[in-house]
């Protein structure tokens, strides 16, 4: 996969800045998970230290420096990720100390701070002076899927580059032609991944089909005043000790299909186009305001999925509030 598939404009911008020697000292790569942010950061680091000294973002991929970046062993290229749910202040202080050292082997030191939005306020504030007085021989790249979880003072001291989800058709073509997935599986994975190649490649499509069925059942039972059935389907859809991320994405995709069906009735515009009859049944039960309300609720839960929250309680409350809206409509 090209490191900036779907975000070629960002790749061209960085390549031109490198050619002109106008790279910023610190960048924030912001955008959804799995769209190539870290790969592009590593490609930039590789090009800066490649022994062949090529132009733009090119690298020979054969020299000792390139091989060390690829293996994660280059002393001048470090990827730092949080050791716990948040960055420890000691991790950030160690980064600050390291960033002022001259390169050991290459031409430039590059520090990539993954999941940078997981810095607490103390850790983020400790980084401010480094961003205000950057070392000449080092670059810092912050990677985040949640730009506005970073402190405004951090955002303002870095150049923010916003990555977009990979377009469905482009991702589908990659999955089919480069990853070797069958056409139907590639199409389904591209649609359900939300433009994330990482997620698309990791999907177990048999498990996804079962989760889709569970999601449709949960939405269907919401329109009926049966608490036992509702809580059973909630437990099936969101089992304990299992990440809710994919189920939330599936629910979002179904609800978006219901919105789309207000404008298009053909299969081409609907993600779950193999389940048109269940979608039509749901569309008859859910009014547009209820669909929009539930979609906002689920999208908000998805945005909060990495925070230290009781997501099971939030999900349960969202479902119960929406069902109350549905039942009031039915009774009216």
């Amino acid at each position: 996969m090209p490191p900036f598939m779907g975000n070629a404009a960002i790749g061209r911008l960085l390549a031109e800045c490198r050619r002109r020697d106008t790279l910023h000292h610190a960048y924030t790569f912001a955008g959804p998970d799995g769209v190539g942010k870290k790969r592009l950061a590593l490609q930039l680091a590789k090009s800066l230290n490649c022994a062949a000294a090529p132009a733009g973002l090119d690298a020979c991929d054969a020299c000792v420096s390139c091989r060390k970046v690829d293996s994660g062993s280059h002393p001048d290229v470090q990827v730092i990720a949080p050791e716990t749910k948040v960055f420890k202040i000691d991790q950030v202080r160690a980064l600050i100390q390291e960033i002022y050292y001259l390169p050991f082997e290459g031409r430039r030191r590059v520090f990539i701070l993954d999941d940078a939005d997981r810095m607490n306020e103390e850790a983020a504030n400790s980084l401010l002076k480094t961003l205000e007085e950057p070392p000449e021989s080092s670059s810092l790249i912050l990677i985040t899927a949640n730009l506005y979880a970073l402190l405004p003072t951090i955002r303002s001291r870095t150049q923010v580059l916003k990555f977009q989800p990979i377009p469905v058709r482009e991702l589908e073509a990659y999955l089919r032609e480069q990853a070797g997935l069958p056409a139907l599986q590639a199409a389904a994975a591209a649609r359900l991944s939300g433009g994330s190649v990482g997620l698309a490649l990791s999907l177990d499509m048999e498990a996804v089909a079962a989760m889709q069925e569970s999601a449709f059942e949960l939405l269907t039972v919401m329109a009926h005043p049966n608490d036992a059935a509702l809580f059973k389907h909630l437990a099936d859809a969101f089992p304990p000790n299992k990440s809710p991320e994919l189920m939330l994405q599936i629910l979002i995709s179904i609800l978006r299909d219901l919105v789309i069906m207000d404008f298009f009735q053909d299969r081409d515009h609907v993600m779950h186009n193999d389940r048109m009859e269940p979608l039509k049944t749901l569309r008859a039960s859910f009014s547009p305001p209820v669909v929009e309300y539930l979609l906002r609720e689920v999208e908000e839960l998805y945005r909060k999925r990495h925070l230290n929250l009781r997501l099971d309680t939030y999900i349960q409350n969202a479902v119960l509030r929406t069902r109350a809206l549905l039942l009031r409509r039915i009774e009216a």
Side-chain angles (χ1 to χ4, degrees), residues 55-302:
L57 295 182
D58 293 332
C60 74
D61 294 327
C63 68
V64 172
S65 177
C66 284
R67 293 200 302 271
K68 283 187 175 182
V69 173
D70 287 339
S71 66
S73 61
H74 199 297
D76 295 319
V77 178
Q78 295 188 28
V79 178
I80 302 114
E83 295 174 354
T84 59
K85 287 187 176 180
V86 296
F87 272 99
K88 294 180 179 178
I89 184 65
D90 290 344
Q91 277 187 281
V92 178
R93 285 173 178 162
L95 162 65
I96 293 168
Q97 183 175 356
E98 282 272 327
I99 205 170
Y100 285 98
Y101 292 155
L102 292 173
F104 292 104
E105 294 182 7
R107 291 186 298 275
R108 189 165 190 82
R109 307 202 78 197
V110 180
F111 295 84
I112 299 167
L113 199 62
D114 205 4
D115 289 327
D117 51 275
R118 289 163 63 182
M119 285 189 291
N120 60 25
E121 189 169 353
E122 181 184 15
N125 282 331
S126 71
L127 196 58
L128 286 178
K129 185 176 181 182
T130 301
L131 293 174
E132 290 168 351
E133 302 173 5
E136 292 185 0
S137 58
S138 296
S139 295
L140 178 64
I141 302 174
L142 309 182
I143 294 178
T144 178
N146 189 358
L147 176 61
Y148 294 101
L150 290 174
L151 291 181
T153 46
I154 295 287
R155 298 198 305 267
S156 67
R157 288 165 174 78
T158 66
Q159 183 171 336
V160 177
L161 299 179
K162 294 183 179 180
F163 288 64
Q164 301 301 318
I166 298 168
V168 169
R169 291 187 183 279
E170 187 176 348
L171 179 52
E172 182 181 341
Y174 168 77
L175 294 173
R176 189 177 61 251
E177 297 166 9
Q178 303 297 320
L181 295 186
L184 290 177
Q185 186 174 335
R191 287 187 171 93
L192 279 175
S193 68
S196 165
V197 68
L199 178 58
L201 289 171
S202 70
L203 290 176
D204 176 343
M205 296 310 294
E206 289 186 8
V208 166
M211 293 176 76
Q212 286 175 316
E213 191 64 34
S214 181
F216 273 100
E217 290 173 355
L218 173 60
L219 290 170
T220 299
V221 81
M222 284 174 61
H224 302 284
N226 185 329
D227 285 346
L230 178 63
F231 285 109
K232 176 185 181 302
H233 285 290
L234 263 175
D236 290 342
F238 296 99
N241 303 320
K242 188 171 182 179
S243 171
E245 181 170 340
L246 183 55
M247 178 55 77
L248 290 172
Q249 284 186 296
I250 290 172
L251 285 171
I252 288 169
S253 67
I254 294 172
L255 294 166
R256 286 177 178 170
D257 276 353
L258 297 182
V259 173
I260 289 170
M261 288 174 69
D262 284 338
F263 303 96
F264 303 101
Q265 292 297 321
D266 61 282
R267 292 175 179 268
D268 290 342
H269 291 86
V270 175
M271 181 180 294
H272 299 274
N273 53 23
D274 59 335
R275 297 171 186 252
M276 290 300 292
E277 290 308 313
L279 282 171
K280 289 176 181 176
T281 300
L282 286 175
R283 193 68 199 82
S285 300
F286 286 61
S287 68
V290 170
V291 172
E292 291 169 10
Y293 173 82
L294 183 55
L295 181 57
R296 286 196 301 271
E297 290 270 324
V298 179
E299 287 178 332
E300 181 64 17
L301 287 170
Y302 185 77

Side-chain angles (χ1 to χ4, degrees), residues 28-41:
T28 295
F29 287 5
D33 291 328
V35 296
K37 301 186 301 296
K38 185 158 68 173
R39 291 191 65 146
L40 181 52

